[in-house]
Amino acid sequence: YICTPATDVYDKPTHLSWEQSAAIPLAGLTSWRAVVTHAEVKPSQKFLITAAGSGVSTFAIQWVLGHGAEVYVTSGSEEKIQKAKDMGASGGVNYKEEGFTGKLMEMSGGFDAIIDSAGGDGLNALLDTLANGGRYIFFGATLGLPSTGLEIPKLFFRHIRIQGTMMGSPSEFAAMMKYVSDNKIEPLVHESFAMSDATQAHKLMESFSQMGKIVLRNEE
C-alpha cells in the first residue's frame, strides 16, 4: 500500500476496463510527452516509431494516428509490423534487413519525427531518414551508444533536433487522460495475469513477443 496526494488520482475512463486503464499511466505518458510535447505532432506529418510492439511504442502509434499524422514502424518481427499496420500504420520494415532505412525512405519520402528507444549503431542511419528540420526524440538506449559517435554535420546542415525525454508532468498526464476519455482511446493489452502469476508475466516480457501492455490483476 502507498499514500499519494488526492491530486495525483484520476477517475477511471468510463469506456475502459480496469485492466485497460491500468495499462495507461507510464507507457502512455512517456509516449505522450515524446509525441505531443516534444515532436509537436500535427496532421499530415510523417512519424517513424521504432520497436513496434512495446507498450510505449504502441501508445505512440495511437497518439500519432489520433492527431491525424501518418505512422511507419520498425521491428525485428514481421508479425509485429503487420499488427502495427492493422492499427493503422502506413508501412513498416524489419530493422534486421540490410538497407532497411533505404526501404523506409522509399515508403515515406522521409519523416518529420522519429520516436526511438533503441539508439545504438542504427541511430545515424535513422537520422538519414529525417526531413530537413526533423526531430529525433528518444527515451531509451536499449542498444547502447553509437560505436562511431554522432555524425554531427548532418545535424546542423539539415537543422535536425535531437531531444531526450522520459515520463512526463502532471499537466501532461491530465491532458493525456482527457484525450483518452474524449476520443475513447483503447490501450492495447496483450495479456492480463493474476498477481500470483507475475513470474509468468515477466517471462512473457523477457521474450519480447508481446504487442502492447502486459497487466497484473490484484484479485484480493
Side-chain angles (χ1 to χ4, degrees), residues 6 10 29 31 43 59 63 69 77 101 103 113 123 127 138-139 143 150 163 173 197 201 203 216:
Y10 289 76
L29 183 60
S31 56
F59 273 111
W63 303 146
S77 164
T101 53
K103 295 179 181 178
L123 170 56
L127 291 176
F138 70 102
F139 56 89
L143 296 180
L150 282 175
Q163 174 70 55
F173 192 89
D197 293 325
K203 287 181 178 178
L216 295 177

Side-chain angles (χ1 to χ4, degrees), residues 6 25 27 33 69 77 85 103 110 112 146 154 159 162 180 182 206:
R33 184 176 179 87
S77 164
K85 290 180 181 178
K103 295 179 181 178
D112 298 289
K154 73 174 62 174
H159 301 269
I162 295 181
V180 168
D182 289 350
E206 290 173 354

Side-chain angles (χ1 to χ4, degrees), residues 178-190:
K178 183 177 187 304
Y179 185 87
V180 168
S181 293
D182 289 350
N183 295 278
K184 299 297 186 288
I185 301 296
E186 295 191 9
L188 184 59
V189 176
H190 181 87

Side-chain angles (χ1 to χ4, degrees), residues 48 50 72-74 92-111 114 121-130 154 158:
L48 175 64
T50 68
Y72 295 80
V73 301
T74 66
V93 299
N94 192 319
Y95 67 83
K96 297 177 182 178
E97 294 180 5
E98 187 75 22
F100 77 96
T101 53
K103 295 179 181 178
L104 285 170
M105 289 296 292
E106 290 175 10
M107 289 180 181
S108 66
F111 302 105
I114 296 172
D121 284 330
L123 170 56
N124 285 307
L126 287 176
L127 291 176
D128 287 332
T129 68
L130 278 174
K154 73 174 62 174
R158 291 163 51 204

